[in-house]
Amino acid sequence: ADWAQLSTGAIDGDATLTVNLDKNLGMRRMVKVAMALNGTELKDTICIKQEGVQAFLECPAPYPAVLGGDTDKITFILNTNIDSDLVQKTVEYISGGKDWMSEFILKDQSKTTSILETTPTVNTGAEARKARVSLTHIDGWEESYRCDLYITQSKQDGSFGTPIDFAQARALGS
């Protein structure tokens, strides 16, 4: 790392290892110093963590429900200070087939806000469709941040399931 300077490349016997770190004005970070004893298999790694801005990634409204005939854009507002290029997106289609949404596009809006957008296709199937979008980031300290978003799209007729009465609901519980 160009922000960490090691005082020496090799140590003979007992010695002090000095690592100088540049001032950190960004996110938390870590440098790893690999140590190995010549001629043996003895190895170790020293991890030096430097404080910085702690990442956050959250969505105040992660559960949109859309109508089956709707093809309007779905927009998630994310509270995050993580650059969108550093966030991994994983889409899991839970029910109703695969690939019924357009590509998920993540864009930075400000230093603390990003948006994630996608567009569903018309649901012509007999069941409601569900998908989970997982957004993940591993910071400089190798700590993981995750935000799960859940999209439910009704059947084309606008229903999300089959209506049942209280007696039927009680029977499901026993």
Side-chain angles (χ1 to χ4, degrees):
D2 59 348
W3 51 271
Q5 300 81 36
L6 191 59
S7 63
T8 181
I11 297 175
D12 188 26
D14 290 339
T16 299
L17 177 68
T18 303
V19 179
N20 293 310
L21 306 176
D22 293 346
K23 185 175 181 176
N24 185 9
L25 300 175
M27 303 295 264
R28 301 185 312 178
R29 57 190 181 184
M30 176 171 53
V31 67
K32 295 181 179 182
V33 179
M35 307 288 287
L37 188 60
N38 284 341
T40 71
E41 294 196 22
L42 293 175
K43 297 178 184 178
D44 204 351
T45 302
I46 300 170
C47 298
I48 302 169
K49 294 180 176 181
Q50 188 177 32
E51 285 287 346
V53 176
Q54 186 166 350
F56 58 89
L57 175 61
E58 46 199 40
C59 180
Y63 303 102
V66 296
L67 296 176
D70 195 355
T71 57
D72 291 340
K73 189 180 296 183
I74 301 169
T75 301
F76 294 94
I77 297 172
L78 305 169
N79 298 328
T80 185
N81 60 350
I82 303 166
D83 187 299
S84 62
D85 295 337
L86 301 175
V87 176
Q88 299 295 317
K89 298 176 293 225
T90 306
V91 180
E92 177 189 358
Y93 291 95
I94 299 168
S95 64
K98 303 279 185 225
D99 300 325
W100 49 270
M101 288 180 287
S102 67
E103 178 184 2
F104 285 83
I105 300 181
L106 184 60
K107 298 184 253 182
D108 296 325
Q109 294 295 298
S110 71
K111 290 183 179 184
T112 59
T113 306
S114 293
I115 60 169
L116 178 72
E117 296 177 328
T118 188
T119 304
T121 60
V122 171
N123 185 0
T124 58
E127 66 177 299
R129 303 194 286 197
K130 296 178 185 176
R132 175 179 39 233
V133 181
S134 297
L135 304 174
T136 55
H137 170 72
I138 299 175
D139 76 358
W141 286 12
E142 298 179 353
E143 291 184 17
S144 181
Y145 297 82
R146 180 177 174 149
C147 180
D148 288 327
L149 312 171
Y150 299 89
I151 300 169
T152 302
Q153 186 183 34
S154 74
K155 298 181 229 180
Q156 191 170 18
D157 68 3
S159 66
F160 286 93
T162 305
I164 60 173
D165 61 32
F166 285 110
Q168 291 170 308
R170 272 190 233 105
L172 291 173
S174 45

